[in-house]
Amino acid sequence: MKQAHSWILFFLCLLCAGLASCIRNTPRYHIGISQCSDDEWRRQMNSEIIREARFYDDVQVEIRTAKDDNVRQEADIRHFINEGVDLLVVAPNEAQSITPIVEEAYNKGIPVILVDRKISSDRYTAYIGADNHAIGREVAAYIGNLLQGNGSVVEITGLAGSTPAIERHESFLKGMAAYPGIRLLATSEGAWLRRQASEKMEALLDSFPHIDVVFAQNDRMASGAYEAALRKQRARQMSFVGIDALSGEHYGLEDILAGRLTASFIYPTGGDRVVQIAMDILQGKTFPRETILGTSVVDSTNAPVMKMQTAHISTLDGKIELLNGEINRSLVRYATQQTILYGSLAALLLLVGMLVAVYLSLRAKNRMNRELSLQKELLIEQKDLLIEQKSQLETQKSQLEQLSHELEEATHAKLVFFTNISHDFRTPLTLIADPIEQLLANPVFDGQPRQLLLLMKKNVHILLRLVNQILDFRKVENGRMELRLEPFDLLDSFRNWNDSFCMALLKKHITFSFEAPSDMDFRMQADAEKMECIYFNLFSNALKYTPENGKITICLAVVAENYVLSVFNSGSYISSADVEAIFQRFYQVSGHQA
Ligand code: FRU
C-alpha cells in the first residue's frame, strides 16, 4: 500500500518537474556582445541583433558598450567570461589592447565572433564585416574621378589603433597612387568622433589655404569637418566624402541630400548576420570563418532612391516591430494559457492520483478488516480453549491439594509414630548405656571384655544420637529447636568423633587422614550436639560415596578468622551446580560423579 502511494507521489513529482520545465522556458544560449562605441552605427547594429535574436526562442543576448575605452571593454569581456557566456561577439576598440582578453576567452573555449573591427591575432572563431581595404580603394577611385586627376586632399582617420582606420588609410594611399596629380596634403586622426574631427579640421584649414576634398573615414567625422569649414566660410570650396551612409536625421544619407556631403560609402552593420552565424556556431552547423559584407557608394545620384528605399525599409521595420509586439503579446497569452493548461492537467492528475490512493487505501482497509475478524475468531477459539484448560487445571490443582493434604496427614501420622517410637527407644537405650558405664568403671573388665564394652558403649551412643536426631527433626518441624552454647573444643571433638568411623573405614579399606594446624587454638562456644550431628553427617556421606580402597581427607583450617572444615573423598564429588542446592532440606545429588 505504502509502495503504491510512493509511486503515485513519484509520478506526480515527475509531472510537476516536467511542467515546470515547460513553463520556465529558460534560454539555452547566452550571447555576450561587447561593443567598442556608443553611436548611431552601433545602435543600428544592436537593434538588428536584438530583432534577429527574437527569431530564436532559446537565446538571451546581453550587450555592453565600452564607450571607446579599451580598459572598459576589457572589463566587459571579463564580465562575460566570468558569467560563462556560450558565445562572445566583440567589436574591438583598438586591436592591440583588446587582443589579450579576446584570446583568453577563445582559449577558454568560448567561441568568439569579431565584428567590423579585428584584433592582432587569429585566435577568434569568425569575422563579420565589410572589406575596409576595398572601401579605402573605392574612396580613392571616387575622389580621383571627382577631381579628374588633379587637386588636393586631406584625410581624417578613425581611432589610430582600430583596424578599419589602419586598413582604410593604407588602401586609400595605395589607391591615390594612381592619381599623381592629386596631393594628399595631410592625414589627421579624428578617432571616429565628430568633435575631434571638427577640431582637427580647423587646424588643417589653418595650415592649408586650399583643399579640394576632405576624406573623413566616417560620416560623423565628415559632418564635424564640414561644420569646421562652415565656421571658416570655406565649406563651399571643398567636397566632403565620408563612410557609413546611414539613413536617419543628421546621418550620412541626409547630409548627402542636404548637400553637406558629396558622397559616402555604405558600411553595413550586419547585425542580423552576426546572430545567424552565432546560432550556426552554437548549434554545431557549418559557418564561414570570414563573412565580408558588401559596400557601395552613395551620392547625389542615388541618395533620393536610397532615401525612399530606406524610408520604405524603416516603415517595414516599424511594421515588423508592431508584428513583433503582437507576436510577443500572443506568446505571453499562449504561455499563460499553456501554464493554466498544464496547471489544470497537473491538478487533474493529482485528483486522479488521490482517487487511486483513496481506492487503494479502502481496498487495503477492507482486506485488513477481513484479516482482523479472522484473527478475532481465532482468538475467541483460543480463549475458549484456554478457559477449558484453566478449569481442567483448577480441577487438577484441587485434586493435588487434596492429595497433598492427605499426604501431609499421612506424613504427620508417620512422624508422630516415629517420635513416639523414638521416645520408646530412648528409655531402654539409656538403661543399656548406664550398666555399660558401670561395667567400664569396674577395673575387673580389662583387655578384650573392656574393648567389647567400649564398642557397645559407642554403638549405644550412636543409636541414642540417631534417636535424638529423629526427635530433633520434630523439634525443627515444630520450631522448637534451640541452640545450646557451651565451651567446646573443635579439634578435640573432631579427633574423638573420627574414632567412631574406624571400623567402617577398615571395612571398606579406605585410607583416612585428618589434617589440622597443631599450633592453633580451636576452643569456642558451640552447641556440641549439633556440631556432632553435622560432622557425623559429613563423614557418613563421604564414607557412603567413597569406593573400596578409596581415600578420605578431612581438613580443619582457619581462613580470614573463620573455621573452615573441608571433606574430600575419592570416587565421586558434588558438582558446582549441586553445591548451590545442597543446603535445601532433603536435597539429594542425582547419580554419582566418577
Ligand atoms: C561606428 C564606427 C563607424 C565606422 C566604424 C569603424 O562605431 O565608428 O562610424 O565606420 O565604426 O569601425
Side-chain angles (χ1 to χ4, degrees), residues 472-550:
D472 281 352
F473 183 74
R474 281 296 291 163
K475 279 184 196 164
V476 172
E477 283 286 296
N478 298 329
R480 282 192 287 112
M481 177 62 107
E482 282 170 12
L483 195 70
R484 277 195 301 274
L485 295 178
E486 54 191 351
F488 179 74
D489 190 327
L490 201 62
L491 187 60
D492 218 33
S493 304
F494 283 176
R495 281 196 179 126
N496 206 11
W497 292 335
N498 287 342
D499 294 344
S500 308
F501 294 93
C502 283
M503 292 303 283
L505 290 166
L506 269 171
K507 234 171 135 184
K508 281 180 91 175
H509 305 287
I510 291 169
T511 314
F512 173 69
S513 64
F514 182 80
E515 293 163 13
S518 52
D519 55 337
M520 295 284 307
D521 184 7
F522 287 96
R523 278 174 302 180
M524 61 176 78
Q525 288 286 318
D527 188 326
E529 232 176 82
K530 291 187 182 62
M531 289 299 276
E532 186 189 18
C533 186
I534 293 163
Y535 193 77
F536 268 76
N537 192 288
L538 284 169
F539 209 144
S540 315
N541 266 320
L543 253 174
K544 191 173 163 189
Y545 291 109
T546 307
E548 293 256 344
N549 302 313

Coordinates of all heavy atoms in Angstrom, one line a residue, residues 472-550:
D472 N 15.0 -34.4 67.2 CA 15.3 -33.1 66.8 C 14.6 -32.6 65.6 O 14.1 -31.5 65.4 CB 16.8 -33.0 66.5 CG 17.7 -32.9 67.8 OD1 17.0 -32.8 68.8 OD2 18.9 -33.1 67.7
F473 N 14.4 -33.6 64.7 CA 13.6 -33.3 63.4 C 12.2 -32.8 63.8 O 11.8 -31.8 63.2 CB 13.6 -34.6 62.6 CG 12.9 -34.4 61.3 CD1 13.5 -33.7 60.2 CD2 11.6 -34.9 61.1 CE1 12.9 -33.5 59.0 CE2 11.0 -34.7 59.9 CZ 11.6 -34.0 58.8
R474 N 11.6 -33.4 64.7 CA 10.3 -33.0 65.2 C 10.3 -31.6 65.7 O 9.5 -30.8 65.5 CB 9.7 -33.9 66.2 CG 9.2 -35.2 65.6 CD 8.0 -35.0 64.8 NE 6.8 -34.6 65.5 CZ 5.8 -34.0 65.0 NH1 5.7 -33.7 63.7 NH2 4.7 -33.7 65.8
K475 N 11.4 -31.4 66.5 CA 11.6 -30.0 67.1 C 11.7 -29.0 66.0 O 11.1 -27.9 66.1 CB 12.8 -30.0 68.0 CG 12.6 -30.6 69.4 CD 13.9 -30.4 70.2 CE 13.8 -31.3 71.4 NZ 15.1 -31.4 72.0
V476 N 12.5 -29.3 65.0 CA 12.7 -28.3 63.9 C 11.4 -28.1 63.2 O 11.0 -27.0 62.9 CB 13.7 -28.8 62.8 CG1 13.8 -28.0 61.6 CG2 15.1 -28.9 63.5
E477 N 10.6 -29.2 63.0 CA 9.3 -29.1 62.4 C 8.4 -28.2 63.1 O 7.7 -27.4 62.6 CB 8.7 -30.5 62.3 CG 9.2 -31.4 61.2 CD 8.7 -31.0 59.8 OE1 7.5 -31.0 59.6 OE2 9.6 -30.5 59.0
N478 N 8.4 -28.3 64.5 CA 7.5 -27.5 65.3 C 8.2 -26.2 65.7 O 7.6 -25.5 66.5 CB 7.2 -28.3 66.6 CG 6.4 -29.6 66.2 OD1 5.7 -29.7 65.2 ND2 6.7 -30.7 67.0
G479 N 9.4 -25.9 65.2 CA 10.0 -24.7 65.5 C 10.5 -24.6 67.0 O 10.5 -23.5 67.6
R480 N 10.8 -25.7 67.6 CA 11.2 -25.7 69.0 C 12.6 -26.1 69.2 O 13.1 -26.4 70.3 CB 10.3 -26.6 69.8 CG 8.9 -26.0 70.1 CD 8.1 -26.7 71.1 NE 7.5 -28.0 70.6 CZ 7.9 -29.2 71.0 NH1 8.8 -29.3 71.8 NH2 7.3 -30.2 70.5
M481 N 13.4 -26.1 68.1 CA 14.8 -26.4 68.1 C 15.6 -25.2 68.7 O 15.4 -24.1 68.2 CB 15.3 -26.7 66.7 CG 16.8 -27.0 66.7 SD 17.2 -28.5 67.7 CE 17.5 -29.6 66.4
E482 N 16.4 -25.5 69.7 CA 17.1 -24.4 70.4 C 18.6 -24.6 70.2 O 19.1 -25.7 70.1 CB 16.8 -24.3 71.9 CG 15.5 -23.7 72.1 CD 15.0 -23.9 73.6 OE1 15.9 -24.3 74.4 OE2 13.9 -23.6 73.9
L483 N 19.4 -23.5 70.3 CA 20.9 -23.6 70.2 C 21.4 -23.5 71.6 O 21.1 -22.5 72.3 CB 21.4 -22.4 69.3 CG 22.8 -22.5 68.9 CD1 23.0 -23.6 67.8 CD2 23.3 -21.2 68.2
R484 N 22.1 -24.6 72.0 CA 22.6 -24.6 73.4 C 24.2 -24.4 73.4 O 24.9 -25.3 73.1 CB 22.3 -25.9 74.1 CG 20.8 -25.9 74.7 CD 20.7 -27.1 75.7 NE 20.9 -28.3 75.1 CZ 19.9 -29.0 74.4 NH1 18.7 -28.5 74.3 NH2 20.2 -30.2 73.9
L485 N 24.6 -23.2 73.6 CA 26.0 -22.9 73.5 C 26.7 -23.3 74.8 O 26.2 -23.1 75.9 CB 26.3 -21.4 73.2 CG 25.7 -20.9 71.9 CD1 26.0 -19.4 71.7 CD2 26.4 -21.7 70.7
E486 N 27.9 -23.9 74.7 CA 28.7 -24.2 75.9 C 30.2 -24.3 75.4 O 30.5 -24.3 74.2 CB 28.3 -25.6 76.3 CG 28.3 -26.7 75.2 CD 27.7 -28.0 75.6 OE1 27.3 -28.2 76.8 OE2 27.6 -28.8 74.7
P487 N 31.2 -24.2 76.3 CA 32.6 -24.3 75.9 C 32.8 -25.6 75.1 O 32.4 -26.6 75.5 CB 33.3 -24.3 77.2 CG 32.4 -23.7 78.2 CD 31.0 -24.1 77.8
F488 N 33.5 -25.4 74.0 CA 33.6 -26.6 73.1 C 35.0 -26.5 72.4 O 35.4 -25.5 71.9 CB 32.5 -26.4 72.0 CG 32.5 -27.5 71.0 CD1 32.1 -28.8 71.3 CD2 32.9 -27.2 69.7 CE1 32.0 -29.8 70.3 CE2 32.9 -28.2 68.7 CZ 32.5 -29.5 69.0
D489 N 35.7 -27.7 72.3 CA 37.0 -27.7 71.6 C 36.8 -28.4 70.3 O 36.6 -29.7 70.3 CB 38.0 -28.4 72.5 CG 39.4 -28.3 71.9 OD1 39.5 -28.2 70.6 OD2 40.4 -28.2 72.7
L490 N 36.8 -27.7 69.3 CA 36.5 -28.2 67.9 C 37.5 -29.4 67.5 O 37.0 -30.5 67.1 CB 36.7 -27.1 66.9 CG 36.0 -27.2 65.6 CD1 34.5 -27.3 65.8 CD2 36.2 -26.0 64.7
L491 N 38.8 -29.1 67.7 CA 39.8 -30.1 67.3 C 39.7 -31.4 68.1 O 39.7 -32.5 67.5 CB 41.2 -29.5 67.4 CG 42.4 -30.2 66.8 CD1 42.2 -30.5 65.3 CD2 43.7 -29.5 67.1
D492 N 39.6 -31.2 69.4 CA 39.5 -32.4 70.3 C 38.3 -33.2 69.9 O 38.3 -34.4 69.8 CB 39.3 -31.8 71.7 CG 40.1 -32.7 72.7 OD1 41.2 -33.2 72.2 OD2 39.6 -32.8 73.8
S493 N 37.1 -32.5 69.7 CA 35.9 -33.2 69.4 C 36.0 -34.0 68.1 O 35.6 -35.1 68.0 CB 34.7 -32.3 69.3 OG 34.6 -31.6 70.5
F494 N 36.6 -33.3 67.0 CA 36.6 -33.9 65.7 C 37.5 -35.2 65.8 O 37.2 -36.2 65.2 CB 37.3 -33.0 64.7 CG 36.3 -31.9 64.2 CD1 36.7 -30.9 63.3 CD2 35.0 -31.9 64.6 CE1 35.9 -29.9 62.9 CE2 34.1 -30.9 64.1 CZ 34.6 -29.9 63.3
R495 N 38.6 -35.1 66.5 CA 39.5 -36.2 66.7 C 38.8 -37.4 67.4 O 38.9 -38.6 66.9 CB 40.8 -35.9 67.5 CG 41.8 -35.1 66.6 CD 43.1 -35.0 67.2 NE 44.1 -34.3 66.4 CZ 44.8 -33.3 66.8 NH1 44.7 -32.9 68.0 NH2 45.6 -32.8 66.0
N496 N 38.1 -37.0 68.4 CA 37.3 -38.0 69.1 C 36.3 -38.7 68.2 O 36.1 -39.9 68.2 CB 36.6 -37.3 70.3 CG 36.4 -38.2 71.5 OD1 36.8 -39.3 71.5 ND2 35.6 -37.7 72.4
W497 N 35.5 -37.9 67.4 CA 34.5 -38.4 66.6 C 35.1 -39.3 65.5 O 34.4 -40.2 65.0 CB 33.6 -37.3 66.0 CG 32.8 -36.5 67.0 CD1 32.4 -37.0 68.3 CD2 32.4 -35.2 67.0 NE1 31.7 -36.1 69.0 CE2 31.8 -34.9 68.2 CE3 32.6 -34.2 66.1 CZ2 31.2 -33.7 68.5 CZ3 32.0 -32.9 66.4 CH2 31.4 -32.7 67.5
N498 N 36.3 -39.0 65.0 CA 36.9 -39.8 64.0 C 37.0 -41.3 64.4 O 36.8 -42.1 63.5 CB 38.3 -39.3 63.7 CG 38.3 -38.0 62.9 OD1 37.2 -37.6 62.3 ND2 39.4 -37.2 62.9
D499 N 37.2 -41.5 65.7 CA 37.4 -42.9 66.2 C 36.1 -43.7 65.9 O 36.2 -44.9 65.6 CB 37.6 -42.9 67.7 CG 39.0 -42.3 68.0 OD1 39.8 -42.1 67.1 OD2 39.2 -41.9 69.2
S500 N 34.9 -43.1 65.9 CA 33.7 -43.8 65.7 C 33.6 -44.4 64.3 O 32.8 -45.3 64.0 CB 32.5 -42.8 65.8 OG 32.6 -42.2 67.0
F501 N 34.5 -43.8 63.3 CA 34.4 -44.3 61.9 C 35.5 -45.4 61.6 O 35.5 -45.8 60.5 CB 34.5 -43.2 61.0 CG 33.3 -42.2 61.1 CD1 33.3 -41.1 61.9 CD2 32.1 -42.5 60.3 CE1 32.2 -40.3 62.0 CE2 31.0 -41.7 60.5 CZ 31.0 -40.6 61.3
C502 N 36.3 -45.7 62.7 CA 37.4 -46.6 62.4 C 37.0 -47.9 61.7 O 37.6 -48.3 60.7 CB 38.2 -46.9 63.7 SG 39.2 -45.6 64.2
M503 N 36.0 -48.5 62.3 CA 35.6 -49.8 61.9 C 35.1 -49.8 60.4 O 35.4 -50.6 59.6 CB 34.5 -50.4 62.8 CG 34.9 -50.7 64.2 SD 36.3 -51.9 64.2 CE 35.4 -53.4 63.9
A504 N 34.3 -48.8 60.2 CA 33.7 -48.6 58.8 C 34.8 -48.3 57.8 O 34.7 -48.9 56.7 CB 32.7 -47.4 58.8
L505 N 35.8 -47.5 58.2 CA 36.9 -47.2 57.2 C 37.7 -48.5 56.9 O 38.0 -48.8 55.8 CB 37.8 -46.2 57.8 CG 37.3 -44.8 57.9 CD1 38.2 -43.9 58.8 CD2 37.2 -44.1 56.5
L506 N 37.9 -49.3 58.0 CA 38.7 -50.6 57.9 C 37.9 -51.5 56.9 O 38.5 -52.2 56.1 CB 38.8 -51.2 59.2 CG 40.1 -50.8 60.0 CD1 40.1 -51.3 61.4 CD2 41.3 -51.4 59.3
K507 N 36.6 -51.6 57.1 CA 35.8 -52.5 56.4 C 35.9 -52.2 54.9 O 35.9 -53.1 54.1 CB 34.3 -52.3 56.8 CG 33.7 -53.7 57.2 CD 32.4 -53.4 57.8 CE 31.4 -54.3 57.3 NZ 30.0 -54.0 57.8
K508 N 35.9 -50.9 54.5 CA 36.0 -50.6 53.1 C 37.4 -50.4 52.6 O 37.6 -49.9 51.4 CB 35.1 -49.4 52.8 CG 33.7 -49.7 52.7 CD 32.8 -48.4 52.4 CE 32.6 -48.2 50.9 NZ 31.7 -47.1 50.7
H509 N 38.4 -50.6 53.5 CA 39.8 -50.4 53.2 C 40.1 -49.0 52.7 O 40.7 -48.8 51.7 CB 40.3 -51.4 52.1 CG 40.1 -52.9 52.5 ND1 40.8 -53.5 53.5 CD2 39.1 -53.7 52.1 CE1 40.3 -54.7 53.7 NE2 39.3 -54.9 52.8
I510 N 39.5 -48.0 53.4 CA 39.6 -46.6 53.0 C 40.8 -46.0 53.8 O 40.9 -46.2 55.0 CB 38.3 -45.9 53.2 CG1 37.3 -46.4 52.2 CG2 38.5 -44.3 53.0 CD1 35.9 -45.9 52.5
T511 N 41.6 -45.3 53.1 CA 42.7 -44.5 53.7 C 42.2 -43.2 54.2 O 41.6 -42.4 53.4 CB 43.9 -44.3 52.7 OG1 44.1 -45.5 52.0 CG2 45.1 -43.8 53.4
F512 N 42.3 -43.0 55.5 CA 41.7 -41.7 56.1 C 42.8 -40.9 56.6 O 43.8 -41.3 57.3 CB 40.7 -42.1 57.2 CG 40.2 -40.9 57.9 CD1 39.4 -39.9 57.3 CD2 40.6 -40.6 59.2 CE1 39.0 -38.8 58.0 CE2 40.2 -39.5 59.9 CZ 39.4 -38.6 59.2
S513 N 42.8 -39.5 56.4 CA 43.7 -38.6 57.1 C 43.0 -37.4 57.5 O 42.0 -36.9 56.9 CB 44.8 -38.3 56.1 OG 44.4 -37.6 55.0
F514 N 43.4 -36.9 58.7 CA 42.8 -35.8 59.3 C 43.9 -34.7 59.5 O 44.9 -35.0 60.1 CB 42.1 -36.1 60.7 CG 41.5 -34.9 61.3 CD1 40.2 -34.5 60.9 CD2 42.1 -34.2 62.3 CE1 39.6 -33.5 61.5 CE2 41.5 -33.1 62.9 CZ 40.2 -32.7 62.5
E515 N 43.7 -33.5 58.9 CA 44.7 -32.5 58.9 C 44.2 -31.3 59.6 O 43.1 -30.8 59.3 CB 45.2 -32.1 57.5 CG 45.8 -33.3 56.8 CD 45.9 -33.1 55.2 OE1 45.7 -31.9 54.8 OE2 46.2 -34.1 54.5
A516 N 45.0 -30.8 60.6 CA 44.7 -29.6 61.3 C 46.0 -28.9 61.8 O 46.9 -29.7 62.2 CB 43.8 -29.9 62.4
P517 N 46.0 -27.6 61.8 CA 47.3 -27.0 62.3 C 47.4 -27.2 63.8 O 46.4 -26.9 64.5 CB 47.0 -25.5 62.0 CG 45.6 -25.3 61.7 CD 45.0 -26.6 61.3
S518 N 48.6 -27.7 64.2 CA 48.7 -28.0 65.6 C 48.9 -26.8 66.5 O 48.7 -26.9 67.7 CB 49.9 -29.0 65.7 OG 51.0 -28.3 65.1
D519 N 49.3 -25.7 65.9 CA 49.6 -24.5 66.8 C 48.4 -23.6 67.0 O 48.5 -22.5 67.5 CB 50.8 -23.7 66.1 CG 50.5 -23.4 64.7 OD1 49.6 -24.1 64.1 OD2 51.0 -22.4 64.2
M520 N 47.2 -24.0 66.5 CA 46.1 -23.2 66.6 C 45.2 -23.6 67.8 O 45.1 -24.8 68.1 CB 45.2 -23.2 65.3 CG 45.9 -22.7 64.1 SD 46.0 -20.9 64.0 CE 44.3 -20.4 64.3
D521 N 44.5 -22.6 68.3 CA 43.5 -22.9 69.4 C 42.1 -23.0 68.8 O 41.7 -22.0 68.2 CB 43.6 -21.8 70.5 CG 42.7 -22.1 71.7 OD1 42.2 -23.2 71.7 OD2 42.6 -21.2 72.5
F522 N 41.5 -24.1 69.0 CA 40.2 -24.3 68.4 C 39.0 -24.3 69.4 O 38.0 -24.8 69.1 CB 40.1 -25.6 67.5 CG 40.9 -25.5 66.2 CD1 42.2 -25.9 66.2 CD2 40.3 -24.9 65.1 CE1 42.9 -25.8 65.0 CE2 41.0 -24.8 64.0 CZ 42.3 -25.2 63.9
R523 N 39.3 -23.7 70.6 CA 38.3 -23.7 71.6 C 37.3 -22.5 71.3 O 37.7 -21.5 70.9 CB 38.9 -23.6 73.0 CG 39.4 -24.9 73.5 CD 40.1 -24.8 74.8 NE 41.3 -23.9 74.6 CZ 42.1 -23.6 75.6 NH1 41.9 -24.1 76.8 NH2 43.1 -22.8 75.5
M524 N 36.0 -22.9 71.6 CA 35.0 -21.8 71.2 C 33.7 -22.1 72.0 O 33.7 -23.1 72.8 CB 34.7 -21.9 69.7 CG 34.2 -23.2 69.3 SD 33.8 -23.3 67.6 CE 35.4 -23.5 66.9
Q525 N 32.7 -21.3 71.7 CA 31.3 -21.6 72.3 C 30.5 -22.2 71.2 O 30.4 -21.7 70.1 CB 30.7 -20.2 72.7 CG 31.2 -19.5 73.9 CD 30.9 -20.2 75.2 OE1 29.7 -20.6 75.4 NE2 31.8 -20.5 76.1
A526 N 30.0 -23.4 71.4 CA 29.2 -24.1 70.3 C 28.2 -25.0 70.9 O 28.3 -25.4 72.1 CB 30.1 -24.8 69.4
D527 N 27.2 -25.5 70.1 CA 26.3 -26.5 70.5 C 26.9 -27.8 70.2 O 26.9 -28.2 69.0 CB 24.9 -26.3 69.8 CG 23.8 -27.1 70.3 OD1 24.2 -28.3 70.7 OD2 22.7 -26.7 70.3
A528 N 27.4 -28.5 71.1 CA 28.2 -29.7 70.9 C 27.4 -30.8 70.1 O 27.9 -31.4 69.2 CB 28.7 -30.3 72.2
E529 N 26.1 -30.9 70.6 CA 25.3 -31.9 70.0 C 25.1 -31.7 68.5 O 25.2 -32.6 67.6 CB 23.9 -31.9 70.7 CG 23.5 -33.2 71.2 CD 22.2 -33.1 71.9 OE1 21.1 -33.1 71.3 OE2 22.2 -33.0 73.2
K530 N 24.9 -30.4 68.1 CA 24.6 -30.1 66.7 C 25.9 -30.2 65.9 O 25.9 -30.7 64.8 CB 24.0 -28.7 66.6 CG 22.6 -28.7 67.2 CD 21.9 -27.4 66.9 CE 20.5 -27.5 67.6 NZ 20.6 -27.7 69.0
M531 N 27.0 -29.8 66.5 CA 28.3 -29.9 65.8 C 28.5 -31.4 65.5 O 29.0 -31.8 64.4 CB 29.4 -29.4 66.7 CG 29.4 -27.9 66.8 SD 29.6 -27.0 65.3 CE 31.4 -27.1 65.2
E532 N 28.2 -32.2 66.5 CA 28.5 -33.7 66.3 C 27.6 -34.2 65.1 O 28.0 -34.9 64.3 CB 28.1 -34.4 67.6 CG 28.4 -35.9 67.5 CD 27.9 -36.6 68.8 OE1 27.0 -36.1 69.4 OE2 28.4 -37.7 69.0
C533 N 26.4 -33.7 65.2 CA 25.4 -34.1 64.1 C 25.9 -33.7 62.7 O 25.9 -34.6 61.8 CB 24.1 -33.4 64.4 SG 22.8 -33.9 63.4
I534 N 26.5 -32.5 62.6 CA 27.0 -32.0 61.3 C 28.2 -32.9 60.9 O 28.2 -33.4 59.8 CB 27.4 -30.5 61.4 CG1 26.1 -29.6 61.6 CG2 28.1 -30.1 60.2 CD1 26.4 -28.2 62.1
Y535 N 29.1 -33.1 61.8 CA 30.3 -33.8 61.5 C 30.0 -35.2 61.1 O 30.5 -35.7 60.1 CB 31.3 -33.7 62.7 CG 32.7 -34.2 62.3 CD1 33.5 -33.3 61.7 CD2 33.1 -35.4 62.7 CE1 34.8 -33.7 61.3 CE2 34.4 -35.8 62.3 CZ 35.2 -35.0 61.7 OH 36.5 -35.3 61.3
F536 N 29.2 -35.8 61.9 CA 28.8 -37.2 61.6 C 28.1 -37.3 60.2 O 28.4 -38.3 59.4 CB 27.9 -37.8 62.6 CG 28.7 -38.5 63.7 CD1 29.4 -37.8 64.7 CD2 28.8 -39.9 63.7 CE1 30.2 -38.4 65.6 CE2 29.6 -40.5 64.7 CZ 30.2 -39.8 65.7
N537 N 27.3 -36.3 59.9 CA 26.6 -36.3 58.6 C 27.6 -36.3 57.5 O 27.5 -37.0 56.5 CB 25.7 -35.1 58.6 CG 24.7 -35.2 57.5 OD1 25.1 -35.0 56.3 ND2 23.4 -35.5 57.8
L538 N 28.5 -35.3 57.6 CA 29.5 -35.1 56.5 C 30.4 -36.4 56.4 O 30.6 -36.9 55.2 CB 30.4 -33.9 56.8 CG 29.8 -32.6 56.6 CD1 30.7 -31.5 57.2 CD2 29.7 -32.3 55.1
F539 N 30.8 -36.9 57.5 CA 31.7 -38.1 57.4 C 31.0 -39.3 56.8 O 31.5 -40.0 56.0 CB 32.2 -38.4 58.9 CG 33.6 -39.0 58.9 CD1 34.5 -38.7 59.9 CD2 34.0 -40.0 57.9 CE1 35.8 -39.3 59.9 CE2 35.2 -40.6 57.9 CZ 36.1 -40.2 58.9
S540 N 29.7 -39.5 57.3 CA 28.9 -40.6 56.8 C 28.7 -40.5 55.3 O 28.8 -41.5 54.6 CB 27.6 -40.7 57.5 OG 27.7 -40.4 58.8
N541 N 28.5 -39.3 54.8 CA 28.2 -39.1 53.4 C 29.5 -39.5 52.6 O 29.5 -40.1 51.6 CB 27.8 -37.7 53.1 CG 26.3 -37.6 53.0 OD1 25.7 -38.5 52.5 ND2 25.8 -36.5 53.6
A542 N 30.6 -39.0 53.1 CA 31.9 -39.2 52.5 C 32.2 -40.7 52.4 O 32.5 -41.3 51.4 CB 33.0 -38.5 53.2
L543 N 31.9 -41.4 53.5 CA 32.0 -42.9 53.6 C 31.2 -43.6 52.5 O 31.6 -44.5 51.8 CB 31.6 -43.3 55.0 CG 32.8 -43.8 55.9 CD1 32.2 -44.0 57.3 CD2 33.5 -45.0 55.4
K544 N 29.9 -43.1 52.5 CA 28.9 -43.7 51.6 C 29.4 -43.6 50.1 O 29.2 -44.6 49.4 CB 27.6 -43.0 51.8 CG 26.4 -43.6 51.2 CD 25.2 -42.9 51.6 CE 24.0 -43.2 50.7 NZ 22.9 -42.3 51.0
Y545 N 30.0 -42.5 49.8 CA 30.3 -42.3 48.3 C 31.7 -42.6 48.0 O 32.1 -42.3 46.9 CB 29.9 -40.9 47.9 CG 28.4 -40.7 47.9 CD1 27.8 -39.9 48.8 CD2 27.6 -41.3 46.9 CE1 26.4 -39.7 48.9 CE2 26.2 -41.2 47.0 CZ 25.6 -40.4 47.9 OH 24.3 -40.3 47.9
T546 N 32.5 -43.1 49.0 CA 33.9 -43.5 48.6 C 33.9 -45.0 48.3 O 33.4 -45.8 49.1 CB 34.8 -43.1 49.8 OG1 34.6 -41.8 50.2 CG2 36.3 -43.3 49.4
P547 N 34.5 -45.3 47.2 CA 34.5 -46.8 46.9 C 35.6 -47.5 47.7 O 36.4 -46.9 48.4 CB 34.9 -46.7 45.4 CG 35.7 -45.5 45.2 CD 35.1 -44.5 46.2
E548 N 35.5 -48.8 47.6 CA 36.5 -49.7 48.3 C 37.9 -49.2 48.0 O 38.2 -48.8 46.8 CB 36.4 -51.1 47.9 CG 35.1 -51.8 48.3 CD 35.2 -52.7 49.4 OE1 36.4 -53.1 49.7 OE2 34.2 -53.1 50.1
N549 N 38.9 -49.2 48.9 CA 40.3 -48.8 48.7 C 40.4 -47.3 48.4 O 41.4 -46.9 47.8 CB 41.0 -49.7 47.6 CG 41.0 -51.1 47.9 OD1 41.3 -51.5 49.0 ND2 40.5 -52.0 47.0
G550 N 39.4 -46.6 48.6 CA 39.4 -45.1 48.3 C 40.1 -44.3 49.4 O 40.9 -44.9 50.2

